[in-house]
């Protein structure tokens, strides 16, 4: 039985991260070069907007906070430990993350409900969309579970998980401490690896091509190079001047 | 002559190898077992291992050392009795091979009755007062950082004295620790953590002797006042704060996007089409 659990730990904590990273890197490049125009998320805002707001906004705002929170603990664990050195600061960090986590769960539940119940949205939903939504739901539920039951995650992440993740990147994986963590933490880790693995094949690729320049680009200038009034006259034949945006 | 010299050299090499192997095993015992056990030095966190082979079979010992909790959970009567006798203190799995465990058992057999590891313990808390306990509390809570950069205890253990930190924590409630393990046991664990997660957290960042002493003083005082803490401490409301905060956040989003479109642009067209289709 011990050998079985050791094998599971070795596969999920050593093998899977390398498989996920390899597939993510190769798959992302391959998909970008082969199907560039599909390298994004198919928007459904045109089909339904009201429910989408209560799903997409809390989900994306929360996931951004949590993603960068995890990334900070991975990149500068010492800084997180220093921040957490005062109990008040530790509480502020943990409660804020927990609030965003609950908001993410609420948003995700809305998005799943919308996909399942709105017929217009259901038509443009692929199986991979359902797979990704299920995986994200697993991640959010286990994340909240860990945050609630095994306090305080921000500190022990920086002390225990960060060295493990660095050991993976240094190609010298050390799972001694991670193996001893509760199974729900390990499930959260495995869910993260699976998410990374599926990025190239799902709508998650949109985070690699976020149109950030939209924020600071100038307004679009539409330049018409034909006589608009002339074109719109019913007597003008299409063959003479076909409008390019119709 | 040359032959004799060669024989002496070979004999010397064998002897050196034996000595090195012995010292390696002693070091392995010290790292993996010596924190909680002695051979002839009396009880520490766990039982005195002197003559342990006379009390249990080799196979039983091998299984128990590999994973004591598996045996406790499987209901092995001897394992359960030991677990209960030692205040349900979990013996962490040592993560060593069967061969290494057998080597350690051989080392224990050879040193049983010789008094190895039976050094007399001198208390470091004899003159510790309330100010030491207060210093320990500040280290425990994180108000005072450990000199070598280790995480504060509150990262994984509940706070013992602070209401907000009294609920679920990753690791054990330390209130009964001092009474259960005694000064020597607590000191041994703080100086050389046998638990993999704690060992990783303090890897390369060991506690200083004065920090260990202050923490021990705090744990002793916390244990003394902990009996009414569990009964009287209200819940921290972590979940409640989270729910209220999330609700506020949703209201904030709604206010920030107050001019959002309530429906998709072609909603009326779609409805009309569906109506005519039906």
């Amino acid at each position: 039985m011990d050998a079985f659990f050791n094998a599971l730990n070795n596969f999920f904590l050593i093998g899977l991260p390398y498989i996920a990273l390899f597939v993510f890197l190769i798959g992302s490049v391959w998909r970008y070069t082969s199907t560039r125009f599909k390298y994004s998320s198919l928007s459904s805002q045109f089909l339904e907007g009201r429910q989408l707001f209560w799903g997409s906004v809390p989900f994306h705002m929360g996931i951004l906070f949590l993603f960068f929170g995890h990334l900070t603990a991975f990149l500068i664990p010492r800084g997180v430990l220093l921040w957490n050195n005062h109990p008040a600061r530790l509480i502020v960090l943990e409660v804020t993350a927990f609030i965003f986590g609950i908001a993410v769960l609420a948003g995700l539940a809305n998005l799943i409900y919308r996909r399942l119940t709105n017929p217009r949205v259901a038509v443009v939903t692929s199986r991979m969309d359902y797979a990704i939504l299920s995986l994200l739901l697993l991640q959010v539920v286990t994340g909240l579970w860990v945050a609630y039951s095994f306090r305080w995650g921000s500190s022990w992440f920086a002390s225990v998980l960060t060295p493990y993740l660095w050991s993976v990147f240094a190609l010298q994986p050390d799972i001694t401490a991670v193996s001893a963590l509760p199974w729900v933490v390990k499930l959260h880790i495995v869910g993260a690896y699976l998410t990374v693995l599926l990025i190239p094949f799902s709508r998650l690729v949109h985070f690699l091509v976020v149109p950030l320049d939209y924020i600071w680009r100038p307004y679009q200038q539409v330049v018409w190079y034909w006589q608009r009034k002339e074109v719109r006259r019913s007597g003008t034949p299409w063959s003479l001047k076909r409008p390019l945006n119709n | 002559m040359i032959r004799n010299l060669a024989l002496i050299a070979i004999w010397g090499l064998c002897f050196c190898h034996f000595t090195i192997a012995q010292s390696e095993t002693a070091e392995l015992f010290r790292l993996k077992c010596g924190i909680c056990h002695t051979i002839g030095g009396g009880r520490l966190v766990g039982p005195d291992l002197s003559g342990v082979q006379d009390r249990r079979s080799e196979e039983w010992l091998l299984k128990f050392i590999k994973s004591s909790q598996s045996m406790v959970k499987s209901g092995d009567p001897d394992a359960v009795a030991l677990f209960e006798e030692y205040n349900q203190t979990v013996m962490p799995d040592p993560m060593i091979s069967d061969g290494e465990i057998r080597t350690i058992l051989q080392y224990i057999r050879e040193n049983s009755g010789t008094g190895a590891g039976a050094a007399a313990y001198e208390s470091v808390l004899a003159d510790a007062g309330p100010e030491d306990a207060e210093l320990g509390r500040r280290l425990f809570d994180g108000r005072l950082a450990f000199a070598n950069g280790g995480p504060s205890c509150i990262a994984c253990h509940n706070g013992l004295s602070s209401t907000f930190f009294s609920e679920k924590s990753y690791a054990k409630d330390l209130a009964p620790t001092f009474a259960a393990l005694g000064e020597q046991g607590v000191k041994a664990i703080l100086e050389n953590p046998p638990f993999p997660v704690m060992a990783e957290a303090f890897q390369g960042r060991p506690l200083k002797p004065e920090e260990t002493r202050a923490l021990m003083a705090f744990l002793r005082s916390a244990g003394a006042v902990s009996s009414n803490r569990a009964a009287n401490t209200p819940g921290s409301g972590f979940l409640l704060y989270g729910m209220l905060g999330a609700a506020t956040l949703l209201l904030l989003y709604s206010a920030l996007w107050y001019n959002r479109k309530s429906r998709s642009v072609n909603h009326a067209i779609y409805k009309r089409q569906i109506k005519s289709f039906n």
Side-chain angles (χ1 to χ4, degrees), chain A residues 154-173:
Chain A
S154 55
S155 282
W156 57 253
F157 183 110
S159 310
V160 177
L161 278 181
T162 300
Y164 156 67
L165 290 171
W166 277 108
S167 78
V168 169
F169 279 101
L171 303 181
Q172 289 175 326

Side-chain angles (χ1 to χ4, degrees), chain B:
Chain B
M1 179 67 185
I2 292 171
R3 194 177 161 196
N4 285 343
L5 278 175
L7 279 173
I8 290 167
I10 290 168
W11 184 82
L13 277 172
C14 290
F15 183 76
C16 279
H17 179 74
F18 176 73
T19 314
I20 289 166
Q22 274 281 6
S23 65
E24 277 177 0
T25 311
E27 182 64 9
L28 192 64
F29 178 86
R30 190 185 70 77
L31 282 174
K32 294 289 179 181
C33 320
I35 298 152
C36 302
H37 301 278
T38 66
I39 307 171
R43 283 171 68 137
L44 216 54
V45 179
D48 185 339
L49 297 179
S50 180
V52 71
Q53 281 95 341
D54 302 335
R55 303 193 289 273
R56 308 266 185 264
S57 71
E58 181 108 353
E59 283 315 300
W60 188 94
L61 286 169
L62 192 69
K63 276 174 71 180
F64 186 81
I65 294 168
K66 275 183 85 171
S67 179
S68 63
Q69 280 305 296
S70 302
M71 284 184 77
V72 171
K73 282 173 190 162
S74 70
D76 182 281
D78 289 342
V80 173
L82 267 176
F83 188 53
E84 295 298 331
E85 185 184 344
Y86 286 87
N87 303 297
Q88 301 191 341
T89 304
V90 174
M91 175 174 141
D93 300 344
M95 308 278 189
I96 50 177
S97 67
D98 287 11
E100 286 173 312
I101 295 175
R102 287 187 199 280
T103 314
I104 287 175
L105 286 173
Q106 181 62 29
Y107 174 79
I108 294 170
R109 187 193 294 279
E110 285 165 5
N111 289 285
S112 291
T114 63
Y121 177 76
E122 280 184 36
S123 172
V124 293
L125 290 182
D127 57 343
E131 67 283 357
D132 294 297
E134 175 58 20
L135 179 67
R137 190 181 70 78
R138 289 168 63 79
L139 286 166
F140 189 98
D141 280 357
R143 288 171 216 273
L144 205 62
F146 289 122
N148 288 330
S152 57
C153 312
I154 215 165
C156 295
H157 299 279
N158 72 27
L160 303 180
S161 58
S162 318
T163 306
F164 212 112
F165 294 88
S166 63
E167 278 191 349
K168 295 164 181 292
S169 54
Y170 163 68
K172 278 179 89 74
D173 180 351
L174 295 183
T177 309
F178 202 90
L181 304 180
E183 182 188 328
Q184 201 175 349
V186 173
K187 184 166 180 281
I189 290 176
L190 287 173
E191 285 177 343
N192 201 351
F195 310 107
V197 173
M198 189 172 166
E200 179 68 52
F202 287 93
Q203 177 77 40
R205 297 177 282 203
L207 298 177
K208 296 208 155 201
E210 56 273 24
E211 292 170 340
T212 305
R213 181 173 175 275
L215 282 173
M216 287 163 66
F218 168 63
L219 288 173
R220 184 174 66 175
S221 68
V225 298
S226 67
S227 52
N228 59 359
R229 176 183 62 88
N232 296 335
T233 307
S236 72
F238 186 67
L239 187 61
L240 185 69
Y241 280 104
M243 304 277 261
L244 288 175
T248 312
L249 200 59
L250 293 182
L251 286 175
L252 184 70
Y253 292 148
S254 185
L256 282 173
W257 275 272
Y258 69 95
N259 60 348
R260 66 186 181 276
K261 284 189 166 56
S262 61
R263 294 190 185 284
S264 56
V265 282
N266 60 353
H267 182 76
I269 303 169
Y270 172 72
K271 282 285 181 197
R272 197 164 61 235
Q273 284 174 337
I274 292 293
K275 198 175 170 185
S276 64
F277 181 76
N278 290 336

